[in-house]
Amino acid sequence: MEKLIIEKSRSKRKGYTLPTLDVEPVSNDSLIPRKFLRKTEPELPEVSEIDIARHYLRLSRLNYNIEEGFYPLGSCTMKYNPKVNEKVASLPGFADLHPCTPERNSQGALQLMYDLGEALKAISGLMGVTLQPAAGSQGEFTGILMMRAYHLDRGDTKRDTILIPDSAHGTNPASGAIGGFKIVSVKSNDDGRIDLEDLKLKATDEVAALMLTNPNTLGLFEGQICEIEKIVHDCGGLMYMDGANLNALLGIVRPGDMNFDCMHINLHKTFSTPHGGGGPGSGPVCVSEKLLPFLPVPRIIKNGDKYALETSADKSVGKVHSFFGNFGMFVRAYTYIRMYGAEGLHQVSCDAVLNANYLFSRLKDKFDVPHDEYCMHEFTLSGDRQKKAGASTKDIAKRLLDYGFHAPTIYFPLIVHEALLIEPTETESKESIDSFADAMLAIDEEIKNTPEVVLNAPSTTPMRRLDDALAARQLNISWVGK
Ligand SMILES: *Cc1c(COP(=O)(O)O)cnc(C)c1O
C-alpha cells in the first residue's frame, strides 16, 4: 500500500522557507475569542520538498490518464486536452480575476463568455444559451426546469411525463425525475433506433418532452429524426437533445435544424476541457426561441461594444451555479474552438467518425456486433461470443489494463448484452488505434488458449481486481487519524 503523506512525516522536517517576521505579532486574544482558539497545534505533515514532490508524482502514476495512453471510454469522450488551452487559462488576467470584479474591470472575461456562448449557438443552431451548469447532468436538470417553466407559463399543467429511449444515458431519467416528472421509457427497434410505433403510442398530451441523444449511445444516427420531431411537437411536447457528446456533429448537423428546443453540451467532452479526476466540468445549455425567457440569470449581454450582466428576468428559472459557472473551463473551450475555427471543427468530427469506423472494421469479425453498419463517433460491440468461451466483458476490460490501455465503457448501453462502447476520438493516430485493436484481438485469442490470464487480470496495475460490490456498499476512502 502507498504510504500516506502524514505517515511520512518526521518532526521538524520542512519543505518551505518563510521570510523572518518583521512586524509585531498581533495578540490572538484581540482578534478571535479565546474559546475558539485551538488548544493543540494541528497535526500537519512535516516533510521535505523532495518528499512531497516524490509523493505526488508517485500518486499521479497510480492513475491512468489520457497523456499516458489510449482511453476509448465511449460516450464519455477522453480526447487529448491541448496544452494551449491550459496556457491561456493560466494567463493572470483570467486566472486571478475575482468573480466579484465590477463589470467595467472584467470586460475581457465577459466578452470571452459572450463569444463562447455565440459559438455554441452557431454550433447548435439554437437561439439562446446559458454557460452556468457545471456538468452535463446539471445542464439536463436546468433544461428540465426551463421546459417545466415553459409549459406552466402557458397554463398547460398536466404535462407530467418525460419520454426517454431505453438506450439513453442514465443521467436523463435521473434529471427528469429530480425535476418532478414521471419517466416513460420508449423502446428501441432492431436497428438500435427509437421505435416510432412505441413513440406514437406514448406521445400523449401529458408529455412535457422527449429526451433524445443523437447520434444515440449505440453510436448510430437517428435518421428518422424528422418523424420523431413531428410526433413529439404534434402532441405539444418539447424536444430535448442530450448533446453531451457532439463529436460526430460539429459543422455537419445542427441540432437546431432538427428542431430541438433545448440541449446541453459538455465542454469537458467535445471541447477538450479536462474531466473526471482532471477537473471541474461544464455543461452549457442552448435553447430555441420558445425557451429564451426561462434561461437562468445572470445573463451576459452586449450593449454596443460593452458587456454587461443582466441579473434578473421575469420568467427566468433563476441561478443554477454560483457566479457564472466554471470560468476556467470556458477559457479552455473558447481557446479550443478558436484554435480550430469552423473548418477545423468540421474536420474534428470527420476524423472522429473515421477513427471509430476504422477501429470498428478491425474488430467486427472477432466480436459480436449488434448493428453491422457504419457508425458515427463511437460503436458498440457485444462480448457474448467471448462470454460463451469463458470470459466476460468485465474480464476483457480488466485484461486491457495489462496491455496498458484504459478500458472502454462497459455494460452500457443497457440494451446490448455484455456491451463494450468504444470511442477512439479524433486525437488518436492510426498507430495507437492499431495497437488497441491488436490488444483486443490478442485477448480474444487468450480467452481460447490461456483463459486464466484473462480471468485473473489485471496483474500489472497497482491494485488487482477489487470487489466492486463491497466497495460500493462500504465505501471507505478517507484516512482516519489516531
Ligand atoms: C457524459 C454524459 C452525460 C452526463 O454528463 P456529466 O457531465 O457526466 O454529468 C449525459 N449524457 C451523455 C450521453 C453523456 O455521455
Side-chain angles (χ1 to χ4, degrees):
M1 254 317 241
E2 188 62 22
K3 269 202 174 138
L4 296 160
I5 192 73
I6 194 95
E7 294 168 322
K8 293 178 183 168
S9 177
R10 293 295 175 273
S11 176
K12 305 279 177 282
R13 196 171 282 172
K14 67 188 181 95
Y16 62 87
T17 319
L18 293 177
T20 41
L21 197 62
D22 60 357
V23 291
E24 272 301 301
V26 185
S27 142
N28 272 330
D29 287 11
S30 62
L31 291 175
I32 305 170
R34 181 160 289 277
K35 66 173 174 181
F36 293 128
L37 291 177
R38 6 164 114 252
K39 309 275 175 308
T40 53
E41 295 222 338
E43 198 191 341
L44 297 175
E46 295 178 82
V47 288
S48 67
E49 184 173 319
I50 189 170
D51 290 339
I52 205 145
R54 283 181 181 158
H55 177 75
Y56 284 110
L57 185 75
R58 211 158 25 226
L59 282 188
S60 76
R61 289 197 189 144
L62 299 177
N63 262 334
Y64 193 83
N65 58 84
I66 186 66
E67 287 178 19
E68 190 171 334
F70 192 65
Y71 205 137
L73 201 59
S75 197
C76 300
T77 310
M78 297 302 282
K79 66 170 72 173
Y80 175 66
N81 315 128
K83 290 284 170 270
V84 65
N85 296 355
E86 300 305 317
K87 190 161 174 144
V88 178
S90 64
L91 291 174
F94 291 133
D96 299 344
L97 191 64
H98 194 281
C100 291
T101 308
E103 284 167 19
R104 66 176 191 286
N105 293 337
S106 55
Q107 286 293 305
L110 292 175
Q111 181 180 357
L112 183 136
M113 290 192 279
Y114 184 87
D115 288 349
L116 173 63
E118 292 304 298
L120 297 177
K121 279 155 63 178
I123 288 165
S124 66
L126 288 163
M127 285 183 71
V129 63
T130 175
L131 302 178
Q132 275 182 46
S137 44
Q138 202 198 358
E140 290 170 32
F141 182 62
T142 306
I144 295 277
L145 292 181
M146 287 191 270
M147 296 193 294
R148 187 175 69 184
Y150 165 82
H151 290 302
L152 293 179
D153 185 54
R154 290 155 47 93
D156 196 350
T157 53
K158 66 171 186 265
R159 297 193 180 265
D160 63 352
T161 302
I162 301 233
L163 301 179
I164 302 181
D166 55 10
S167 59
H169 194 269
T171 50
N172 294 184
S175 309
I178 293 175
F181 289 94
K182 222 164 54 194
I183 307 302
V184 172
S185 174
V186 184
K187 279 194 274 215
S188 298
N189 59 25
D190 293 342
D191 294 339
R193 291 359 188 254
I194 208 167
D195 183 331
L196 285 188
E197 293 313 311
D198 195 43
L199 177 65
K200 279 183 201 152
L201 219 61
K202 290 167 179 167
T204 66
D205 60 359
E206 290 175 3
V207 168
L210 168 75
M211 288 181 94
L212 186 67
T213 313
N214 198 17
N216 66 29
T217 56
L218 296 158
L220 303 172
F221 192 77
E222 297 277 354
Q224 297 172 302
I225 186 64
C226 297
E227 287 90 331
I228 295 171
E229 181 267 315
K230 191 160 171 5
I231 295 168
V232 174
H233 278 146
D234 281 354
C235 82
L238 293 170
M239 288 284 288
Y240 185 97
M241 167 140 154
D242 181 336
N245 186 332
L246 283 183
N247 286 309
L249 300 192
L250 298 173
I252 298 172
V253 173
R254 300 189 308 168
D257 297 334
M258 298 189 267
N259 273 342
F260 280 100
D261 297 296
C262 191
M263 75 181 293
H264 71 275
I265 296 172
N266 283 17
L267 300 185
H268 50 283
K269 290 179 183 169
T270 313
F271 298 103
S272 83
T273 73
H275 65 138
S282 181
V285 180
C286 294
V287 296
S288 68
E289 191 171 11
K290 290 177 200 159
L291 295 177
L292 286 176
F294 309 102
L295 280 167
V297 286
R299 299 174 190 164
I300 298 136
I301 51 174
K302 189 175 179 185
N303 293 323
D305 59 354
K306 291 269 180 295
Y307 299 86
L309 293 168
E310 191 174 67
T311 51
S312 71
D314 264 6
K315 296 184 176 175
S316 167
V317 296
K319 233 169 145 44
V320 298
H321 194 283
S322 56
F323 299 107
F324 320 102
N326 286 326
F327 180 70
M329 296 300 113
F330 306 156
V331 183
R332 289 171 175 85
Y334 178 79
T335 306
Y336 180 82
I337 290 171
R338 293 303 301 267
M339 288 297 291
Y340 270 117
E343 273 174 36
L345 289 179
H346 177 262
Q347 194 65 43
V348 161
S349 283
C350 293
D351 292 349
V353 173
L354 179 65
N355 280 358
N357 278 287
Y358 175 67
L359 182 53
F360 183 45
S361 73
R362 285 223 42 204
L363 298 176
K364 68 182 205 173
D365 293 338
K366 297 289 181 184
F367 290 82
D368 287 346
V369 285
H371 305 285
D372 191 3
E373 56 176 297
Y374 286 120
C375 63
M376 302 299 283
H377 58 293
E378 60 190 355
F379 61 92
T380 319
L381 299 177
S382 163
D384 262 350
R385 203 183 308 175
Q386 285 70 20
K387 175 116 191 224
K388 283 192 197 98
S392 67
T393 282
K394 178 169 169 175
D395 298 319
I396 296 170
K398 297 290 182 196
R399 184 62 178 153
L400 277 169
L401 307 180
D402 284 339
Y403 279 88
F405 298 105
H406 196 282
T409 297
I410 57 171
Y411 299 108
F412 175 80
L414 305 175
I415 55 175
V416 172
H417 283 175
E418 296 293 311
L420 292 135
L421 177 60
I422 303 178
E423 179 180 6
T425 81
E426 78 285 356
T427 53
E428 297 299 332
S429 64
K430 178 167 182 295
E431 294 74 32
S432 59
I433 296 175
D434 274 330
S435 61
F436 177 78
D438 292 342
M440 287 287 284
L441 299 176
I443 294 169
D444 177 54
E445 283 300 311
E446 287 174 344
I447 294 171
K448 293 171 205 148
N449 305 322
T450 50
E452 56 304 332
V453 299
V454 180
L455 298 175
N456 292 323
S459 58
T460 58
T461 49
M463 299 292 285
R464 303 290 300 271
R465 228 179 251 223
L466 303 177
D467 181 340
D468 359 282
L470 185 73
R473 290 210 185 92
Q474 294 176 20
L475 189 66
N476 176 7
I477 50 170
S478 50
W479 180 72
V480 182
K482 298 174 241 118

